[in-house]
Amino acid sequence: MTITISIDCMGGDHGPAVTIPAALSFLQHYPESELILVGLEDVVRAELRKCKAEHNPRLSVVHASEMVEMDDPLEVALRKKKDSSMRVAIELVKDGKAAACVSAGNTGALMAISRYVLKTMPGVDRPAICSMLPNQKGTPTYMLDLGANVDCEPHHLHQFAIMGAVLVSALEGKDKPSIGLLNVGTEDIKGNEVVKATAKLLQDDHARGKLNFYGNVEGNDIFKGTTDIVVCDGFVGNVTLKAAEGIGRLVKHTLTKEFKRSPLTMLAALLGRGALKRFGDTFNPSRYNGGSLLGLRGLVIKSHGGADAVAFEWAIKRSFDAAKYNVQAQLATMIAELMPSTAPGDQ
Amino acid sequence: MTITISIDCMGGDHGPAVTIPAALSFLQHYPESELILVGLEDVVRAELRKCKAEHNPRLSVVHASEMVEMDDPLEVALRKKKDSSMRVAIELVKDGKAAACVSAGNTGALMAISRYVLKTMPGVDRPAICSMLPNQKGTPTYMLDLGANVDCEPHHLHQFAIMGAVLVSALEGKDKPSIGLLNVGTEDIKGNEVVKATAKLLQDDHARGKLNFYGNVEGNDIFKGTTDIVVCDGFVGNVTLKAAEGIGRLVKHTLTKEFKRSPLTMLAALLGRGALKRFGDTFNPSRYNGGSLLGLRGLVIKSHGGADAVAFEWAIKRSFDAAKYNVQAQLATMIAELMPSTAPGDQ
C-alpha cells in the first residue's frame, strides 16, 4: 500500500536546500511512499533540477505562493498567509490527499494552523508535540509536550499522558507503556500546583487500570529510561530538549579537542574510531528528529528548524511510520475510551 | 583571616558518612578555614573517630537532636523540628558564629528554614539557588533559580537576574556579566506570559545601563556559554540541571561500553586515557556541586542530595569562596542600588 506524505518545502532555517534532498533520499529508501512537495513552484522545481530529479513519478509539486517566516507572529501566519506552504501542506492531509504532513517551520505557527485546518480530536483540548530522546537502556524515551503549549493546566498534562501512551503502544508495540510525570523531585510533596494536580489524575487512571502511571520522575530519569514516556508542559519540554542538544554538542566539542591534543591521543582516536563513531551515533540528534503533533484530526510531524537533510529525512520517516502503523485511528479509539469528557461512564 | 563554615552533617542521601570525610579533606586543603560540624553528637563523633580525626583544633561539634528527612513536609521541617541539624547550622550563621552554612538536605526545607531564620535581604521577595554548569567556552555558565521557586512571577525572575549578576561579578571578577532569559525561542514573541513580562523588565534595566541583558536564550545556549548567567524559574532550572546530570551519566555509560567492545578499542582507550580523563573531568558533576542560596541575610550553600565526599567538598569550597569574596556585602550594596522597590528614584 502506498503512503503519501506532504512536505512543507519552504520551512526551517534552510528551506528547499535541505527539505528537497531529504525528500529525494527518502523516496529512494521507501519504495512504498509518494511525496507531495509544497512551496514556491519555481524554487522547488529549480532545486529538483539541481538534484537531477525533475521527473520522478512518485513525486508531485503543489504551488503555494507564501511562506511562514520563523519570526512571523501567529496572527500573520494564521490569518494573513492563507496560501503558505505550511498551510497548503496541512490542507492536503485534511483533504485526504496525504496521510501525513512534515514541516520544519515555526512551531507555534505549525500548531496554530494545524489546529485551525484539521481541528483537534474529540476529547482533546490541546494537541502536543511528542518526540524521542536516547536513554541508557537503548530504547527511546518519548517526551511530550516539547513546545506546543507553554502554559498548561492539569487536564492538559493528563491528556498528553494518554496521547503519549497511545503513540508508544502503536509505534513500539508496547502494551501499557509506563508514564512518568516530570517534576523537581520524586516525592508526592514536590512540584508546583499544576504537577501535583496532574499526578492525582494519573494516579486515578492507574488505579482504574487505564494507564500505567509510574509517578514523578526527574530530569535525569529521561536519560536513564526510567519510564517509556515523560510528560511535561511545553516550556519545560522545549528547554530540556534543547539543553540535551546543547550538551550533545559540548560533548562532541570536548571529545574532539581532547583527542586532537597530542600524537598519542590522535593515534588512540584512530584505533578507537569505531567506538567513537558508535558513541556519536547514539547521541546524534538527527536520529531523534521529528516530533509528532498529537491530538489533531490528521498527522502532522514537526522537524527541528535547524535540521540538515539527514535529520529532515528522519522526520519524514517518522511521519511514514505513524501513517503505516495507523497511529491516528488508534489515537481516536483509545482517546474515546480513556478521556473522561468523552466517556463519562468511566468516572 | 580565618573563615568559619557550619556544616549540616546529617543532610543528604548519605549523611555523616559523606559530609564528615568531605569536611576533613576540606580542612586539609584550606588552612585558613574552621568548620563547625552540626548533627547528632554521638553519630558525628563516631564518624570522626572512624576517620581518626577526633582532636582537630579547627573543628568543633555542635549537637542537634533532630534531622530533616528528604521527604519531610515543609511544615514538619520548619515548625516541628526546631532542633534539626539543618536549622542549627543556619542559626550559627545568623548568630555570626559561621560565615556560611552548607547542607545537602531537602531543598525546600533548606530554603524555608533559611528564610525563616535569616530573613531575606531588603528588596528581595524570594531567594534563589544559583549554580554553575560547564560550557563550550570553558568558563562556567551560572544558572538560577535551580529549584527554590517552582512558581515565579516576572519580578521574581527580575530579582534573580540582579542577584546572579552580583554573584558572578564577585566570584569571577567580571564587570556587568551578560544575562540570558531562558525561553523556548530567541524571538521576542516566544514564551509564556511570565517570561515575556520579565524580558521587558530586563530590557528596561539594560536601557538604563544597570544590567547587561543579552535577551532570550534557549536550552542549548546554557552549554554554548552564550551568556554568563541564565535566568529561569526553579522548576525549569531544576529539571534542566538534573537532565544535564542524566546526560552526563549516559555519555559515560555509552563511552565505557563502546571502548570495552573489543581488544582494539580497549587499546585505544588505554592510549587515550589522558584524553578520556580530561574529557570526564569537564563533565564531572562533582566540580559543579554547591548552589548558592542568594538573597538571604546570610550565606547558605545547598549541596546535591546525592553528593559523594568529593562533590560535598566542592560545596564547602563554594561557601568558603563566597565568604572570602564578600559576596554577601556586595549583594546588599548592589541590591540596594538596583532593586526598584528600595530605590524608587531610579524608576
Side-chain angles (χ1 to χ4, degrees):
Chain A
M1 193 192 77
T2 301
I3 292 169
T4 304
I5 311 288
S6 64
I7 295 185
D8 167 13
C9 289
M10 313 306 285
D13 300 346
H14 313 293
V18 152
T19 55
I20 291 175
L24 295 171
S25 172
F26 173 81
L27 277 180
Q28 284 193 325
H29 292 120
Y30 285 73
E32 290 194 337
S33 67
E34 292 192 358
L35 297 180
I36 307 175
L37 305 181
V38 183
L40 291 165
E41 186 158 6
D42 291 352
V43 176
V44 172
R45 294 222 180 265
E47 186 66 34
L48 285 173
R49 264 196 303 282
K50 213 167 115 189
C51 299
K52 300 191 197 323
E54 292 161 275
H55 308 292
N56 188 324
R58 289 161 50 215
L59 198 152
S60 54
V61 178
V62 168
H63 177 64
S65 61
E66 295 171 304
M67 51 188 279
V68 173
E69 305 287 348
M70 291 308 262
D71 56 356
D72 273 344
L74 275 194
E75 305 79 58
V76 172
L78 188 60
R79 313 218 182 274
K80 306 276 180 196
K81 295 187 169 177
K82 295 196 176 171
D83 196 37
S84 72
S85 55
M86 187 186 276
R87 179 148 174 178
V88 173
I90 296 167
E91 280 167 349
L92 288 167
V93 175
K94 188 194 168 207
D95 298 342
K97 291 179 185 158
C101 151
V102 183
S103 175
N106 181 325
T107 309
L110 184 64
M111 184 52 92
I113 297 175
S114 296
R115 286 180 72 168
Y116 182 79
V117 171
L118 297 171
K119 315 298 177 206
T120 52
M121 283 184 168
V124 176
D125 289 298
R126 293 204 198 159
I129 301 177
C130 182
S131 199
M132 298 189 271
L133 287 160
N135 68 42
Q136 272 192 37
K137 291 183 179 166
T139 57
T141 300
Y142 285 75
M143 189 164 162
L144 76 168
D145 174 35
L146 294 178
N149 306 283
V150 290
D151 287 303
C152 288
E153 297 298 320
H155 67 283
H156 299 135
L157 295 177
H158 180 217
Q159 291 173 10
F160 300 168
I162 295 170
M163 295 194 291
V166 173
L167 183 74
V168 175
S169 286
L171 290 188
E172 306 281 333
K174 263 199 178 175
D175 189 37
K176 296 236 174 124
S178 58
I179 298 163
L181 180 62
L182 195 58
N183 201 340
V184 297
T186 52
E187 306 87 350
D188 283 351
I189 58 154
K190 290 290 179 77
N192 55 30
E193 294 312 314
V194 171
V195 166
K196 285 183 200 169
T198 307
K200 289 212 179 79
L201 296 173
L202 292 170
Q203 280 156 0
D204 283 353
D205 284 339
H206 186 85
R208 293 186 298 143
K210 298 279 185 184
L211 287 179
N212 178 9
F213 179 49
Y214 172 87
N216 289 331
V217 293
E218 302 183 76
N220 52 323
D221 288 302
I222 302 163
F223 305 96
K224 260 193 208 169
T226 306
T227 54
D228 297 311
I229 299 152
V230 171
V231 173
C232 59
D233 72 46
F235 194 99
V236 173
N238 185 279
V239 165
T240 306
L241 181 72
K242 286 179 181 161
E245 290 167 5
I247 297 173
R249 270 184 227 112
L250 176 58
V251 163
K252 190 177 172 186
H253 166 89
T254 310
L255 257 189
T256 306
K257 187 181 77 182
E258 293 303 343
F259 273 106
K260 278 189 177 166
R261 199 183 272 267
S262 73
L264 185 68
T265 55
M266 285 165 79
L267 176 63
L270 188 67
L271 292 176
R273 66 188 181 281
L276 288 169
K277 188 184 175 307
R278 283 188 302 270
F279 171 78
D281 286 346
T282 305
F283 292 93
N284 187 350
S286 297
R287 275 187 55 192
Y288 300 96
N289 191 36
S292 308
L293 268 61
L294 295 177
L296 297 162
R297 301 187 194 208
L299 275 173
V300 179
I301 304 293
K302 155 76 184 147
S303 161
H304 195 296
D308 62 11
V310 173
F312 195 77
E313 189 181 343
W314 272 104
I316 308 175
K317 284 176 193 167
R318 214 70 81 203
S319 69
F320 182 85
D321 282 347
K324 184 174 157 191
Y325 292 114
N326 223 351
V327 163
Q328 206 57 17
Q330 293 194 49
L331 267 173
T333 308
M334 294 186 68
I335 283 169
E337 184 196 340
L338 281 175
M339 293 283 190
S341 63
T342 55
D346 283 341
Q347 284 296 2
Chain B
M1 193 192 77
T2 301
I3 292 169
T4 304
I5 310 289
S6 63
I7 296 185
D8 167 13
C9 289
M10 313 306 286
D13 299 346
H14 312 294
V18 152
T19 55
I20 291 175
L24 295 172
S25 172
F26 173 80
L27 276 180
Q28 284 193 324
H29 292 120
Y30 286 74
E32 290 193 336
S33 67
E34 291 191 358
L35 297 181
I36 308 175
L37 305 182
V38 184
L40 291 165
E41 187 159 4
D42 290 351
V43 176
V44 172
R45 294 220 180 268
E47 186 66 33
L48 285 173
R49 263 196 303 281
K50 212 168 116 190
C51 299
K52 300 191 197 327
E54 293 161 273
H55 307 291
N56 188 325
R58 289 160 51 215
L59 199 151
S60 55
V61 177
V62 168
H63 177 64
S65 62
E66 294 171 304
M67 52 187 280
V68 173
E69 304 288 347
M70 292 307 263
D71 56 356
D72 273 343
L74 277 194
E75 305 78 58
V76 171
L78 188 60
R79 314 218 181 274
K80 306 275 180 197
K81 296 187 169 178
K82 294 196 176 170
D83 196 39
S84 72
S85 55
M86 186 186 277
R87 179 147 174 181
V88 173
I90 296 167
E91 279 168 349
L92 288 167
V93 175
K94 188 194 167 207
D95 297 342
K97 291 179 185 157
C101 150
V102 183
S103 174
N106 181 327
T107 309
L110 184 64
M111 183 53 93
I113 297 175
S114 297
R115 286 180 71 168
Y116 181 79
V117 171
L118 297 172
K119 315 298 177 205
T120 53
M121 283 185 168
V124 176
D125 289 299
R126 292 204 198 161
I129 301 177
C130 183
S131 199
M132 298 189 271
L133 287 161
N135 69 41
Q136 272 192 38
K137 291 183 179 167
T139 57
T141 300
Y142 285 76
M143 189 164 164
L144 75 169
D145 175 34
L146 294 178
N149 305 283
V150 291
D151 287 304
C152 289
E153 296 298 319
H155 68 282
H156 299 134
L157 296 177
H158 180 217
Q159 292 174 9
F160 299 167
I162 295 171
M163 295 194 291
V166 173
L167 183 74
V168 175
S169 287
L171 290 187
E172 305 281 333
K174 263 199 177 172
D175 189 37
K176 297 235 174 124
S178 58
I179 297 162
L181 181 63
L182 195 58
N183 202 339
V184 297
T186 53
E187 306 88 351
D188 283 350
I189 58 155
K190 291 290 179 77
N192 55 29
E193 295 312 315
V194 171
V195 166
K196 285 182 198 169
T198 307
K200 290 213 179 78
L201 296 174
L202 291 171
Q203 281 156 358
D204 283 353
D205 284 339
H206 186 86
R208 294 185 297 143
K210 298 279 184 185
L211 286 180
N212 179 9
F213 179 50
Y214 171 89
N216 288 332
V217 293
E218 301 182 76
N220 51 324
D221 289 301
I222 303 164
F223 305 97
K224 260 193 206 167
T226 305
T227 54
D228 297 311
I229 300 152
V230 171
V231 173
C232 59
D233 72 45
F235 194 99
V236 174
N238 184 278
V239 165
T240 306
L241 179 73
K242 286 179 182 161
E245 290 168 3
I247 297 173
R249 268 183 229 115
L250 176 59
V251 162
K252 189 177 172 186
H253 166 88
T254 311
L255 258 189
T256 306
K257 185 182 77 182
E258 291 305 343
F259 273 107
K260 278 189 176 166
R261 199 182 273 266
S262 73
L264 185 68
T265 55
M266 284 165 79
L267 175 63
L270 188 67
L271 293 174
R273 66 187 182 280
L276 288 168
K277 187 184 176 308
R278 283 188 302 271
F279 170 79
D281 286 346
T282 305
F283 293 92
N284 187 349
S286 297
R287 275 188 55 194
Y288 301 96
N289 190 38
S292 309
L293 269 59
L294 296 176
L296 297 161
R297 301 187 194 208
L299 275 174
V300 178
I301 304 294
K302 155 77 183 146
S303 161
H304 196 297
D308 62 12
V310 173
F312 194 78
E313 189 181 343
W314 271 105
I316 308 175
K317 286 176 191 168
R318 214 70 82 203
S319 68
F320 182 85
D321 282 347
K324 184 174 157 190
Y325 293 113
N326 222 351
V327 163
Q328 206 57 16
Q330 292 193 50
L331 267 173
T333 308
M334 295 186 69
I335 282 168
E337 184 197 339
L338 280 176
M339 292 284 190
S341 63
T342 55
D346 282 343
Q347 284 297 4

